Amino acid sequence: AISYALFPREISGASDMEQYNGKVVFDGIVDCAKACLENGVTVGLGTDTGCPYVTHYNMWMELQLFHKYCGVSNSFALHTATEINAKIAGIDNITGTIAEGKEADLIVTCGNPLEDLSALSNISMVMGQGNLILNPKVKKMEQVEKEMVKYL
């Protein structure tokens, strides 16, 4: 929704109506998340990868948007994307936190995401289900990256 709501129309290719609808959806998502947080309702994070200008690899941007538009701390954004999301998905007995008996699903970043969530965009190592990937490479959509970071 952010692409249609906030991107210039010459970038998104959205019509006036699509951009208006995107703004309604974007504002509604933010308002709903804030209301849920204020009232103790669990909020999860994810990407709508079927939408234009949403990538499969930029979950870190969702954390950054949650932090910026909903006013949560970096720590809470990380907690939401890991432990809370695992609980919502019903797999918190397998993953979501680092604990004995759970899968070693984690990433290593060059910076500290507690200080700056954009550190999550620079991953040097991935451990997933016990498999180690050093210096993972992702084919990125450069135009999307360039536009999205303007709103973080």
Side-chain angles (χ1 to χ4, degrees), residues 53-145:
Y53 295 103
V54 179
T55 60
H56 292 277
Y57 59 85
N58 273 339
M59 183 64 181
W60 74 271
M61 287 186 179
E62 296 299 318
L63 278 76
Q64 191 96 355
L65 293 167
F66 189 45
H67 166 74
K68 179 177 181 176
Y69 290 97
C70 293
V72 302
S73 68
N74 290 355
S75 176
F76 187 77
L78 287 162
H79 170 72
T80 301
T82 55
E83 185 174 2
I84 291 177
N85 274 3
K87 285 180 182 176
I88 291 169
I91 58 173
D92 55 311
N93 61 325
I94 300 169
T95 191
T97 58
I98 299 172
E100 186 177 340
K102 290 190 176 185
E103 292 183 359
D105 296 337
L106 53 95
I107 61 173
V108 176
T109 62
C110 295
N112 183 350
L114 291 172
E115 295 172 5
D116 181 1
L117 289 169
S118 67
L120 297 169
S121 70
N122 190 6
I123 298 172
S124 60
M125 192 182 323
V126 174
M127 176 69 78
Q129 298 180 338
N131 298 307
L132 180 64
I133 302 169
L134 297 173
N135 300 310
K137 303 293 181 220
V138 176
K139 182 179 177 185
K140 295 189 175 189
M141 298 171 64
E142 297 301 326
Q143 182 181 14
V144 174
E145 298 279 317

